[in-house]
Amino acid sequence: MIIRKGNQNDLAEMKQLFTETITSVCKNDYNDQQLEVWRSGAENNERWLKVIHDQFVLVAVSDHKIVGFSTLDKGSYIDLFFVHKNYQHQGIASKLYLQIEDEARKQEGKNLTADVSKTALTFFEKMGFHVLKEQMVNAKGIMLTNYKMEKKL
């Protein structure tokens, strides 16, 4: 597996990984309506193009396919963080995270923040984050629970 900077050519594969991961990995933490509205975020092409152009994007590649990705916005906010359903618990998330944290340090960030799903909460806690607050997010009229988390660098 290699980790490299993401680019616009990766977008289609990133969006597919995003929707498939939500569907299969997050299904025990969110109901069908919540999963559907969350997955619908892949349809917002303008947002994804903005992510690629404005954020620090890393992709993990194995056997010529993207198996995970993470994005860092403004040097201190982890915006997107997903690992392929068939590559869970293989250390990919940890490797991506360590490189994201390293980039935040290079950008002289004092802390990292993220809005973390119920599914990812334990991982982020293992990486040294703590919950600032539980949040109820309204996405197209459907309420989703997530957690505002932070780690001091």
Side-chain angles (χ1 to χ4, degrees):
M1 181 196 69
I2 62 159
I3 296 178
R4 62 166 172 79
K5 286 184 105 174
N7 61 62
Q8 194 164 335
N9 295 331
D10 297 321
L11 275 177
E13 202 172 346
M14 287 170 63
K15 290 194 289 186
Q16 181 178 354
L17 188 152
F18 171 85
T19 58
E20 289 176 359
T21 301
I22 291 167
T23 300
S24 60
V25 177
C26 303
K27 67 183 176 195
N28 294 329
D29 296 312
Y30 296 93
N31 67 38
D32 289 342
Q33 275 188 315
Q34 292 168 323
L35 294 171
E36 180 58 36
V37 75
W38 190 3
R39 280 190 306 259
S40 74
E43 299 163 9
N44 186 344
N45 289 324
E46 186 177 320
R47 180 197 181 331
W48 285 86
L49 285 169
K50 188 169 173 44
V51 165
I52 282 291
H53 292 292
D54 296 346
Q55 297 186 24
F56 178 77
V57 179
L58 290 177
V59 294
V61 179
S62 181
D63 297 323
H64 307 290
K65 74 178 194 176
I66 296 174
V67 296
F69 68 91
S70 183
T71 72
L72 181 67
D73 192 21
K74 296 180 177 68
S76 64
Y77 179 72
I78 298 174
D79 185 13
L80 297 166
F81 201 108
F82 290 88
V83 174
H84 191 284
K85 62 182 180 174
N86 296 335
Y87 291 82
Q88 297 283 310
H89 308 291
Q90 295 181 24
I92 294 167
S94 296
K95 289 175 182 161
L96 281 168
Y97 172 75
L98 291 173
Q99 288 194 31
I100 287 289
E101 183 178 304
D102 186 53
E103 180 63 23
R105 289 180 193 280
K106 285 178 187 171
Q107 294 186 28
E108 299 182 10
K110 303 277 188 268
N111 60 25
L112 274 172
T113 60
D115 294 308
V116 176
S117 69
K118 294 179 191 178
T119 311
L121 179 64
T122 303
F123 170 78
F124 277 85
E125 287 175 332
K126 286 179 185 170
M127 295 297 109
F129 283 73
H130 66 276
V131 174
L132 296 174
K133 65 179 178 177
E134 182 176 316
Q135 306 178 118
M136 293 300 292
V137 178
N138 185 333
K140 300 180 182 177
I142 304 295
M143 299 306 289
L144 295 160
T145 300
N146 73 13
Y147 303 90
K148 173 67 75 181
M149 298 190 80
E150 179 181 57
K151 178 180 180 178
K152 302 280 186 215
L153 296 180

